[in-house]
């Protein structure tokens, strides 16, 4: 089985963490490589501030990596880089990695909306499948930044708000015949039967002796 490269966009929002957890449970398969990608904005040319931003981004990516504790043998790499907020840097990194899928937590300020307004085909820009996961926590009353329905949304949007995972059924208990001697409620013994027959025989003899 060929190894797939899955890129997960790391952001300090609950929607991004939810998207990563969804990918671990529904997309990841054995042998896949996950790249945790964080792009911090260009705000200063100071080397000290750049190092600080890079460090914060790396620590954020490590917190995402901790989510994989329940998924042993998961291959993970971390990429932290500087870029714009319109998503062009993410597009470049995803294409450079040669990813087969991109997982993004969809929220009001998501870069995907800006890309959708700037490009006619988002999937062709990334050259891979784009999965945008939206949860209850990612929605807010203020939706002024979300483009209208006329915008071409060609990425796969997975809405978790209406999904309900049913509780697992209770485990079935296998039927066992006489699982232990202490579980036997009643047992007929040959000795009791012999004692009962002896008493009946003695009574029968007594009756016969009385008649004669």
């Amino acid at each position: 089985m060929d190894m797939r490269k899955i890129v997960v966009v790391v952001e300090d929002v609950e929607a991004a963490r939810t998207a990563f957890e969804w990918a671990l449970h529904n997309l990841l398969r054995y042998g896949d490589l996950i790249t945790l990608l964080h792009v911090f904005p260009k705000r200063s040319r100071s080397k000290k501030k750049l190092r600080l931003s890079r460090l914060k981004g790396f620590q954020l990516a490590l917190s995402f990596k901790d989510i994989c504790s329940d998924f042993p043998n998961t291959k993970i790499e971390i990429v932290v880089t500087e870029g714009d907020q319109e998503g062009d840097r993410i597009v470049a990194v995803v294409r450079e990695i040669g990813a087969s899928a991109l997982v993004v937590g969809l929220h009001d300020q998501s870069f995907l909306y800006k890309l959708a307004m700037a490009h006619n085909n988002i999937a062709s820009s990334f050259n891979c499948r784009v999965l945008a996961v939206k949860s209850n926590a990612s929605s807010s009353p203020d939706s002024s930044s979300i483009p209208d329905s006329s915008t071409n949304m060609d990425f796969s949007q997975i809405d978790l708000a209406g999904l309900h995972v049913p509780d697992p059924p209770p485990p079935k208990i296998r039927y066992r015949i006489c699982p232990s001697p202490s579980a036997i409620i009643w047992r007929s013994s040959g000795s009791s039967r012999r004692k009962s027959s002896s008493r009946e025989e003695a009574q029968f003899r007594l009756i016969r002796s009385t008649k004669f």
Side-chain angles (χ1 to χ4, degrees):
M1 185 179 295
D2 296 336
M3 179 187 68
R4 299 182 305 172
K5 298 180 180 180
I6 303 172
V7 177
V8 178
V9 176
V10 174
E11 298 177 278
D12 194 12
V13 293
E14 191 61 30
R17 296 180 178 87
T18 301
F20 185 35
E21 292 175 354
W22 178 90
L24 290 173
H25 286 89
N26 299 278
L27 185 61
L28 181 68
R29 68 188 186 191
Y30 181 78
D32 288 347
L33 173 64
I34 295 180
T35 300
L36 299 176
L37 172 61
H38 176 71
V39 177
F40 59 90
K42 297 179 179 179
R43 292 179 179 175
S44 175
R45 289 300 175 185
S46 171
K47 292 183 179 180
K48 183 178 180 180
K49 291 184 178 181
L50 287 176
R51 285 196 300 267
L52 182 60
S53 298
R54 190 179 301 274
L55 177 60
K56 288 183 178 179
F58 186 75
Q59 291 174 340
L60 179 62
L62 286 178
S63 69
F64 275 64
K65 186 177 181 294
D66 291 339
I67 302 176
C68 300
S69 57
D70 294 333
F71 296 85
N73 302 322
T74 303
K75 300 178 181 178
I76 293 182
E77 66 177 9
I78 296 176
V79 176
V80 178
T81 183
E82 182 186 16
D84 56 83
Q85 297 300 295
E86 283 70 32
D88 292 334
R89 181 56 180 161
I90 295 178
V91 172
V93 174
V94 170
R95 293 180 67 93
E96 181 181 352
I97 291 175
S100 57
L102 172 68
V103 179
V104 181
L106 195 62
H107 53 91
D108 292 353
Q109 303 298 326
S110 178
F111 70 94
L112 281 179
Y113 293 124
K114 300 175 182 178
L115 279 178
M117 291 185 290
H119 301 276
N120 293 328
N121 192 327
I122 294 180
S124 63
S125 300
F126 288 101
N127 196 26
C128 70
R129 186 182 180 187
V130 181
L131 299 172
V133 180
K134 183 178 181 180
S135 63
N136 280 329
S138 64
S139 59
S140 64
D142 182 14
S143 58
S144 58
S145 60
I146 302 177
D148 56 23
S149 58
S150 62
T151 305
N152 180 24
M153 297 294 180
D154 59 348
F155 50 85
S156 300
Q157 180 174 337
I158 303 167
D159 191 354
L160 302 184
L163 297 182
H164 172 69
V165 180
D167 296 331
K172 295 182 179 180
I173 302 176
R174 297 182 59 184
Y175 178 75
R176 296 181 297 176
I177 302 177
C178 296
S180 65
S182 60
I184 300 175
I185 301 176
W186 176 85
R187 175 189 291 169
S188 62
S189 61
S191 59
S192 62
R193 286 196 299 269
R194 286 194 297 268
K195 290 180 180 178
S196 177
S197 60
S198 299
R199 286 196 298 268
E200 290 175 357
E201 185 178 356
Q203 291 176 358
F204 178 73
R205 289 178 181 178
L206 179 61
I207 294 173
R208 290 186 62 185
S209 63
T210 304
K211 287 182 178 180
F212 296 98

